[in-house]
Amino acid sequence: MHNIVKSSCILSGDAFKKSDYFCSMLEDKNPQRTSLEELGEFGLIDHLTKHFEIKHKSTVKGIGDDAAVLSSRSKQIVVTTDLLIEHVHFDLSYVPLKHLGYKSVMVNLSDVYAMNAQATQITISIAVSNRFPLEAIEELYSGIDTAARTYGIDVIGGDTTSSTTGLIISITAIGEVNEEDVVYRNGAQPNDLLVVTGDIGAAYMGLQVLEREKEVFKVNPGNQPDLEPYTYIIERQLKPEARKDIIELLQKLEVKPTSMIDISDGLSSEIIHLCKQSNVGVELYENKIPLDPQVISTCEEFNVDSTTIALNGGEDYELLMTISQEDFPKIKANPDLTVIGFITDKDRGMHLITRGEQAIPIIAKGWNAMKNEE
Amino acid sequence: MHNIVKSSCILSGDAFKKSDYFCSMLEDKNPQRTSLEELGEFGLIDHLTKHFEIKHKSTVKGIGDDAAVLSSRSKQIVVTTDLLIEHVHFDLSYVPLKHLGYKSVMVNLSDVYAMNAQATQITISIAVSNRFPLEAIEELYSGIDTAARTYGIDVIGGDTTSSTTGLIISITAIGEVNEEDVVYRNGAQPNDLLVVTGDIGAAYMGLQVLEREKEVFKVNPGNQPDLEPYTYIIERQLKPEARKDIIELLQKLEVKPTSMIDISDGLSSEIIHLCKQSNVGVELYENKIPLDPQVISTCEEFNVDSTTIALNGGEDYELLMTISQEDFPKIKANPDLTVIGFITDKDRGMHLITRGEQAIPIIAKGWNAMKNEE
C-alpha cells in the first residue's frame, strides 16, 4: 500500500513502530506480493488467525469451529457490531492498513466501554479484492492484533471472503459487566452533570488536514508536507484509543454514571441521543467544551468555528456521560473528565449556551453516512 | 428490484407469499421509491428496526443503545459471524431481496445449530448504495424479520451504512447451550458413524439453473422460462432452512453427536474439516449419499456427475455429524438422518468408496470465494 503521508515520524504510540506511521507514497513498503489465490480462503484464515492468543477464561473456544463458545456465568454480556467500508469510512491513500486494523477494533470497543462494560472478545470479518496482496492483509491484521493485545481482547472468530471492489471490515465486540453496573443511554436525570472525557474535534480536523494533503499530492506528487503542527490531530484520526481507562477510573472513583454514550458521530448528535432516550433537556456550555490547542489553531487556519467542529465533527471515541451532582467531588480534580453542562427538565429543551450567553438550540448535524456518496 | 425468474409460483413455504418468489424482470414490483437520503442513517435504522420484537428472556436490551445486553447465567454462549457481498455471494438479478434477507439469517443460524446450540439473537449490519430505494431495503428486512420470527430469534442490534457499490450484509448470530451439550468438530472417534441430514447438492444445481436462465434472459428478454422441473432445487438455493429441527430431534432421541459441522462449502470440504480436527480417517460410501431426484435429473440434463456435485456443491446448510455406533438404533428409522460412512483410524486416510467399490481419496474442491472473482 502506498501512503500519502510522507514525513519523518511525528506520532507517538508505543504499540506501533515509528516507521509504520508514515510510509512514502512513492516507495513501495511491501515489495513482496503474495497473491490471495495462492492461499485460498481456508489458507488465508489459518495464516491470519494462527497468532491470536486466548486470554480470557470466558473464551471456551475461539477460532476453528462453526462458532466460538463463551462462558460468562456471573455477568451480563454486551454485544455491538460495526461495518467499515472503503471509500465510505476510510481512504487507503492516507490511512495505513495497520492503523486501520487498530482503529476498526477501537470503534467497536468504544461502544462496549460506553455500556460501562469490559471488552473481552471480538470477531473480525473482512472482504478484500485481489488487488490486495497477502502482505497488505497481514498489515491490517497486525493492527488488529496490536489492538487486541493492548486492550486484552480475544479474537474468537470471523469470516474472510472476497470483494469485487474495495476492503470491507465488519467487527463484532463482546464485553461483560456486572448486572448492577450496566449504564444505558436512558438514565439521565434533571440536575445531573454532563461530563465528557478527553477533548473533542481533533479527529475531524486531522481528517481535514489529511484530505488537504491528498489534494496537494494530486497536483504535486513531489511535495513533502510538513505535518509537524498537526501531530496530535492526525493521530486522533488515524489511531484513536477507546477509553478503557475511563471505565477503570470510574470504578476506582466509585462513580456510576446515570447515562453514557460514546462520541462517534459528534457531540451534538450524542447529546440528543442521551436526552431523547432519558426524556430530559440539557444546557451545554460552549466555554466548557475541551479543545486541544491544535484543534483551535487548525480551525483558525481552515477558517472554521471550533465549536461547530466539536459539536459536529465525530470520530472522537470519547465518552459522554451524565453523573449525579453528589458524585461531583469524586471527579472534580480529574483532568480526563470535564463538566460541560447540566441536565434539565425536558420542557426546557436542549441548548448550547454560547460565550456570549445566548441559548442556541442543539441540532444534529453529525456525520451522516447516507449523504457521503455519489 | 427486478428479477429474472418469471413464472407462476412453484415454490412452497408458508412464511412467504407465493408472489414473492418470482417477480418479473420486466415489471417493477416496487414503483414507490423513497430515497435513503430522505431518511438519513438514524431514520433508516429506526424505520427498519422498530418492528423487531424481543422474545428471549436472555435479551436484557436489544437495539437502541451503544451495545445490546444479554444475560445467560446457566448456559454457554456461542457466537458466529458471516459476511455476504453482492456479486460474490449473491446476484440480485435472480435473488429476491426478501429471500436474501431470509437466507442471510439461515447461513448464520446453521453455524449455531452445528454447535448443538439453540440460536437466540442476531445482529444485522448492512451497507447499501443509493441505487437501492427504501422499499428494497424494507424487502430485505422483511425476509430477515420472517426468519427471526420463524426461528424464534431476537434481532438485537446492527449497523446501517452506505456502500459505494453493492449490497453488503454482515450478520452475527448468538446462541446458548448447556456446557455438557456443546458439540465441536474435533470429537469424532474411529468406528463412529458419519451421518448427514436431509439431502445434498440441490442448492448448487438450483444455482446452475438460475445462472442458465440469466444467460438466456440476456439473449432473449422475452423468454418465459419453465422452472416447474426445478422447484425443489431452486428453493434450496433461494430459501434454505437451517436445521433447528435436527437439534431438537437429537435432544428428543437423546443422541449427542461426537462431532458436528454445517455443510456450507460442500460435503468433501466439511468431511476433511471434521477428520483433520478429530485426527481420524473416514470411509464415505457413494451409494449412501442422499440425493433428491431433481438433483439427479438436473445433473443428467447438465451432464455433470451427481456425486461430484454432492461432494463439492456447497450451500446445503445441512448438518454433518458423527455418532457413536451405540446410538445407531436411536436414529435408524429417521428419514432426516442418513448414515453415509464411518470413521477410521487416521492412517487409513479419507476415502470415497464408489459404487464400483473403488477407494478414491477425498479432496476439497469446495467453493472457494477467493477464486471467484476477476
Side-chain angles (χ1 to χ4, degrees), chain A residues 42 64-66 68 70 73 77-80 82-83 89 159 161-163 170 172 179 185 262 265 277 369 373, chain B residues 42 64-66 68 70 73 77-79 82-83 89 159 161-163 170 172 179 185 262 265 277 369 373:
Chain A
F42 297 125
D65 216 295
D66 292 281
L70 311 180
R73 285 167 198 280
I77 292 151
V78 303
V79 180
T80 177
D82 262 301
L83 196 54
H89 299 100
D159 192 13
T161 185
S162 63
S163 143
S170 174
T172 296
E179 188 174 342
R185 293 178 178 178
D262 86 314
D265 291 316
Q277 291 208 22
E373 64 160 314
Chain B
F42 297 125
D65 216 295
D66 292 280
L70 311 180
R73 285 170 196 278
I77 291 149
V78 302
V79 181
D82 262 301
L83 197 53
H89 299 99
D159 192 14
T161 185
S162 64
S163 143
S170 174
T172 296
E179 188 174 342
R185 294 178 177 178
D262 87 315
D265 291 316
Q277 292 209 22
E373 65 159 313

Side-chain angles (χ1 to χ4, degrees), chain B residues 194-249:
Chain B
L194 185 68
V195 175
V196 71
T197 62
D199 55 73
I200 54 178
Y204 182 82
M205 289 316 295
L207 181 63
Q208 301 317 302
V209 170
L210 291 168
E211 289 278 356
R212 181 179 67 183
E213 294 310 323
K214 181 183 171 184
E215 294 310 312
V216 170
F217 180 87
K218 280 185 194 164
V219 179
N220 180 5
N223 184 55
Q224 175 97 21
D226 176 16
L227 295 169
E228 189 73 38
Y230 313 109
T231 318
Y232 176 69
I233 61 176
I234 290 176
E235 179 160 12
R236 292 283 284 176
Q237 170 58 227
L238 293 182
K239 186 171 169 280
E241 302 290 343
R243 300 306 306 253
K244 180 187 187 182
D245 60 326
I246 298 294
I247 303 313
E248 290 160 356
L249 176 69

Side-chain angles (χ1 to χ4, degrees), chain B residues 128-195:
Chain B
V128 277
S129 68
N130 280 345
R131 78 177 160 94
F132 292 88
L134 174 63
E135 289 72 18
I137 308 303
E138 284 175 338
E139 277 288 296
L140 180 77
Y141 267 74
S142 145
I144 290 167
D145 192 36
T146 302
R149 284 171 196 270
T150 308
Y151 284 75
I153 309 296
D154 292 345
V155 180
I156 57 162
D159 192 14
T160 306
T161 185
S162 64
S163 143
T164 49
T165 52
L167 174 62
I168 297 155
I169 305 169
S170 174
I171 294 187
T172 296
I174 295 163
E176 53 184 38
V177 57
N178 292 320
E179 188 174 342
E180 61 275 21
D181 292 334
V182 189
V183 177
Y184 293 103
R185 294 178 177 178
N186 65 4
Q189 298 291 331
N191 299 317
D192 282 353
L193 300 172
L194 185 68
V195 175

Side-chain angles (χ1 to χ4, degrees), chain A residues 103-363:
Chain A
K103 181 171 174 175
S104 307
V105 177
M106 289 308 119
V107 169
N108 278 277
L109 298 191
S110 183
D111 281 320
V112 172
Y113 299 135
M115 303 303 289
N116 204 29
Q118 273 302 346
T120 45
Q121 289 96 0
I122 52 172
T123 66
I124 311 272
S125 296
I126 59 163
V128 276
S129 68
N130 281 344
R131 78 176 158 94
F132 292 88
L134 174 63
E135 289 72 17
I137 309 302
E138 284 175 339
E139 277 287 295
L140 180 75
Y141 267 74
S142 145
I144 290 167
D145 192 36
T146 302
R149 285 171 196 270
T150 309
Y151 283 75
I153 309 296
D154 292 345
V155 180
I156 57 161
D159 192 13
T160 306
T161 185
S162 63
S163 143
T164 49
T165 50
L167 174 64
I168 297 156
I169 305 169
S170 174
I171 294 187
T172 296
I174 295 163
E176 54 185 38
V177 56
N178 292 320
E179 188 174 342
E180 62 274 20
D181 292 334
V182 189
V183 176
Y184 293 104
R185 293 178 178 178
N186 64 4
Q189 298 290 332
N191 300 318
D192 282 353
L193 300 173
L194 184 68
V195 175
V196 71
T197 62
D199 55 73
I200 55 179
Y204 182 83
M205 289 315 295
L207 181 65
Q208 302 316 304
V209 170
L210 290 168
E211 289 279 356
R212 181 179 66 183
E213 294 310 322
K214 182 183 169 185
E215 294 309 311
V216 170
F217 180 88
K218 280 184 194 167
V219 180
N220 180 5
N223 185 54
Q224 176 98 22
D226 176 17
L227 296 169
E228 189 73 36
Y230 313 110
T231 318
Y232 176 70
I233 62 175
I234 290 176
E235 179 160 12
R236 292 282 285 175
Q237 170 59 226
L238 293 181
K239 187 170 169 282
E241 302 291 342
R243 301 306 305 255
K244 181 187 187 182
D245 59 325
I246 297 294
I247 304 313
E248 291 160 355
L249 175 69
L250 290 172
Q251 201 171 19
K252 211 179 90 191
L253 298 175
E254 295 179 353
V255 173
K256 183 186 171 189
T258 53
S259 71
M260 189 153 59
I261 190 170
D262 86 314
I263 304 177
S264 52
D265 291 316
L267 184 60
S268 63
S269 169
E270 316 304 356
I271 286 176
I272 291 169
H273 282 307
L274 275 195
C275 288
K276 280 196 174 167
Q277 291 208 22
S278 298
N279 222 14
V280 294
V282 71
E283 291 198 356
L284 168 68
Y285 289 89
E286 183 180 20
N287 63 354
K288 300 291 185 191
I289 298 172
L291 302 176
D292 186 85
Q294 260 184 28
V295 170
I296 296 169
S297 61
T298 313
C299 282
E300 279 168 9
E301 185 188 338
F302 278 72
N303 200 23
V304 290
D305 176 53
S306 59
T307 301
T308 304
I309 298 306
L311 288 174
N312 304 314
E315 291 204 278
D316 294 308
Y317 303 110
E318 295 292 343
L319 296 171
L320 177 72
M321 67 190 89
T322 53
I323 67 162
S324 164
Q325 289 212 17
E326 62 197 42
D327 283 332
F328 179 64
K330 298 181 192 166
I331 67 153
K332 206 167 118 181
N334 200 293
D336 275 326
L337 300 169
T338 308
V339 177
I340 56 172
F342 68 90
I343 300 301
T344 64
D345 284 334
K346 190 187 179 185
D347 54 17
R348 299 264 304 272
M350 298 179 280
H351 292 95
L352 172 74
I353 311 300
T354 65
R355 288 190 185 85
E357 291 186 5
Q358 270 192 299
I360 298 175
I362 296 172
I363 48 167

